[in-house]
């Protein structure tokens, strides 16, 4: 069962982030990386905030995701999550990729068991509009 | 006391000479008057308080995309000349002290003679800030993950802050309880008649952990305004002028949309805040130190960000704000730095920081309902965690 109902807004790719979402549809989490200075960034943007360069390629996320911070939401701020509360929002960090972070959810850990620093594994779920989005589960064997 | 560089500007130095406020109500509270009418009402009251006439006003400045454009206001109020208008971009009240900088630059340079800084906010007539905003840029990276409202966005920062520095729930609660105690003395405060103690705070429902109900600001409707002109003009006006000793806007680098976006601010500043740069520039411009400040209005969208602000603006060490508030330092009765003496956003009203500017000026005129004795210098801050941020140091004349 998906973490949220299908009524939740899904991503609507635009000019700056369509490549990111296209990769997601192939189950690949790819972050932009500056060709000139090598800095990894997220969310996708036309330029590098470290050096201003417009030249970038992509780098795939590894398996070293960790829970950097989180909140457990009890008050629904959108009709679509009235049936989901309490749910968590996770800030997931990739230490090997310049500490780039992604806002997501940990789908299989009870609220009280969430711990800052816990290792996580990437999983893919369909959002309500049918696009695959990255979510996380407890990393097995770590 | 340290040298105050603003004194070098002498007669041309900018000062606040008038204050105006509509009534403050909970969101949706105004169904008989439009937001535009409330904006104009607050401006009219501020001009009258200043002892000026509307034809003296030749500048308007606001922030946060205020919907009441100067051209509308010019027509509603019949302003004959509008030489200067400006807007500080940025979400929420992060830029609330920025227009003080703009207005001061305008009047000191002679581009304008009297500028009104205003903010009108009727969440009942536009949208509730505590609910999903489908127009927010960057929604793709937060909305599909259930991050919709400011409490959702700010809570992870405060969670990390508490984790890194051993800040406790009671430390957050002290901000809420202290603000509420100040609101009880303020007849304008929307929450003034509802006492709050720590036990009630700790028993309140969780909105987004670690934020409980009373950690989050209210959603309100209302408007307020201040009139800014040169000291040479202020000398002939009825009110005690309030000096704008320094004002600054900006952010630490690399914050992007900060907590209102994909949370990729510099990792070492995640649970710290983005106000350090503005704080440094503000105190340098004023030639003052944090220890010189007598009273402060700290932007309180969320209690935990007040604690971070106390650290960013140098009133305590990084991670030291929990201990600082636990010792009673922010209390009106006997604290070393009374804060949010009107009740702030948590308990007076949330008019995006403009009501904090008004209260800061009131303290410098000696007219607060929680007046700090002998207060000569007041810090006012705007926002934290969603760039820009802004701040001003006001002084008693």
């Amino acid at each position: 069962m998906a973490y949220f109902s299908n009524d939740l807004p899904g991503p609507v790719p635009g000019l700056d982030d369509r490549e990111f979402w296209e990769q997601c549809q192939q189950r690949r989490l790819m972050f932009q990386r500056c060709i000139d200075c090598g800095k990894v960034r997220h969310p996708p943007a036309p330029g590098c905030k470290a050096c201003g360069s417009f030249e970038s390629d992509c780098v795939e996320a590894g398996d070293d995701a960790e829970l950097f911070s989180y909140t457990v939401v009890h008050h629904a701020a959108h009709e679509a999550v009235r049936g989901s509360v309490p749910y968590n929002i996770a800030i997931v960090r990739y230490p090997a990729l310049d500490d780039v972070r992604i806002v997501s959810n940990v789908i299989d850990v009870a609220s009280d068991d969430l711990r800052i620093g816990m290792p996580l594994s990437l999983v893919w779920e369909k959002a309500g509009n049918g696009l695959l989005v990255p979510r996380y589960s407890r990393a097995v064997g770590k | 006391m340290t040298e105050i560089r603003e004194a070098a500007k002498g007669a041309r130095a900018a000062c606040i000479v008038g204050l105006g406020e509509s009534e403050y109500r909970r969101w949706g509270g105004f169904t008989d008057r439009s937001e535009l009418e409330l904006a104009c009402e607050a401006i009219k009251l501020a001009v009258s308080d200043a002892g000026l006439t509307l034809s003296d006003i030749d500048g308007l400045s606001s922030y946060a995309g205020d919907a009441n454009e100067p051209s509308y206001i010019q027509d509603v109020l019949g302003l004959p000349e509008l030489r200067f208008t400006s807007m500080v971009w940025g979400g929420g009240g992060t830029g609330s002290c920025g227009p003080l900088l703009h207005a001061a630059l305008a009047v000191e340079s002679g581009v304008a003679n009297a500028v009104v800084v205003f903010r009108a906010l009727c969440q009942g007539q536009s949208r509730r800030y505590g609910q999903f905003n489908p127009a927010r840029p960057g929604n793709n990276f937060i909305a599909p993950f259930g991050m919709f409202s400011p409490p959702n966005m700010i809570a992870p920062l405060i969670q990390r802050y508490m984790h890194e520095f051993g800040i406790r729930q009671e430390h957050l609660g002290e901000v809420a309880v202290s603000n509420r105690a100040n609101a009880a003395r303020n007849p304008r405060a929307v929450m003034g008649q509802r006492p709050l103690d720590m036990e009630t705070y700790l028993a309140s429902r969780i909105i987004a952990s670690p934020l409980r109900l009373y950690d989050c600001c209210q959603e309100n409707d209302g408007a307020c305004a201040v009139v800014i002109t040169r000291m040479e003009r202020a000398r002939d006006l009825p009110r005690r002028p309030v000096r704008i000793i320094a004002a600054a806007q900006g952010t630490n680098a690399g914050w992007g949309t900060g907590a209102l976006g994909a949370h990729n601010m510099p990792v070492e500043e995640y649970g710290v805040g983005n106000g350090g740069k503005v704080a440094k520039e503000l105190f340098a411009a004023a030639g003052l130190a944090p220890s010189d400040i007598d009273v402060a209005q700290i932007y309180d969208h969320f209690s935990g960000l007040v604690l971070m602000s106390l650290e960013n603006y140098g009133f305590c060490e990084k991670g030291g704000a929990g201990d600082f508030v636990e010792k009673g330092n922010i209390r009106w009765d006997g604290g070393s730095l009374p804060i949010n003496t009107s009740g702030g956003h948590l308990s007076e009203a949330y008019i995006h920081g403009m009501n904090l500017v008004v209260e800061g000026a009131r303290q410098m005129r000696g007219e607060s309902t929680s007046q700090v004795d002998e207060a000569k210098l007041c810090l006012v801050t705007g926002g934290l965690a969603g760039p820009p941020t802004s701040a001003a140091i006001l002084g008693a004349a």
Side-chain angles (χ1 to χ4, degrees), chain B residues 366-378:
Chain B
E367 298 170 358
S368 172
T369 48
S370 293
Q371 184 61 38
V372 173
D373 290 341
E374 307 287 314
K376 297 281 191 291
L377 292 167
C378 180

Side-chain angles (χ1 to χ4, degrees), chain B residues 280-324:
Chain B
K280 195 175 162 190
E281 290 182 355
L282 181 76
F283 283 113
L288 293 167
S291 57
D292 294 321
I293 301 296
D294 302 308
V295 55
Q297 315 302 328
I298 306 286
Y299 196 91
D300 53 339
H301 33 356
F302 298 97
S303 61
L305 295 182
V306 172
L307 301 181
M308 286 190 204
S309 289
L310 290 169
E311 298 171 13
N312 282 204
Y313 285 90
F315 297 108
C316 43
E317 294 294 303
K318 196 192 284 187
D323 188 49
F324 184 79

Side-chain angles (χ1 to χ4, degrees), chain A residues 8-9 11-12 17 21 42 44 49 68-72 74-75 77-78 87 89 91 99-101 103 105 116 134-135, chain B residues 130-132 140-141 144-149 155-156 159-160 163 205-209 254 262-265 267 270:
Chain A
L8 205 71
V12 182
D17 64 352
W21 295 110
H42 183 73
K49 69 178 172 185
F68 181 66
S69 195
Y70 66 93
T71 180
V72 177
H74 290 255
H75 177 82
H78 189 298
Y87 65 88
I89 302 170
I91 312 298
D99 291 311
V100 73
R101 273 141 282 155
V103 175
N105 316 96
I116 286 178
R135 298 198 210 278
Chain B
Q131 296 284 309
F132 177 52
N140 279 357
F141 295 98
F145 309 98
M147 184 180 267
F148 296 120
S149 64
Q159 185 90 264
R160 183 81 199 180
H163 171 82
R205 66 193 170 94
I206 297 171
I207 302 297
S209 70
H263 286 239
N264 273 263
M265 55 289 263
V267 73
Y270 188 86

Side-chain angles (χ1 to χ4, degrees), chain B residues 14 59-63 84-89 95-112 114-117 228 244 246-250 388 390-391:
Chain B
L60 291 167
S61 182
S62 189
Y63 56 97
F84 173 86
T85 64
S86 77
M87 162 68 63
V88 178
W89 281 273
S96 57
C97 293
L100 298 181
L101 173 66
H102 294 205
L105 290 170
V107 301
E108 287 170 3
S109 69
V111 164
V115 177
V116 174
V117 171
I228 292 164
I244 301 173
Q249 65 181 73
S390 61

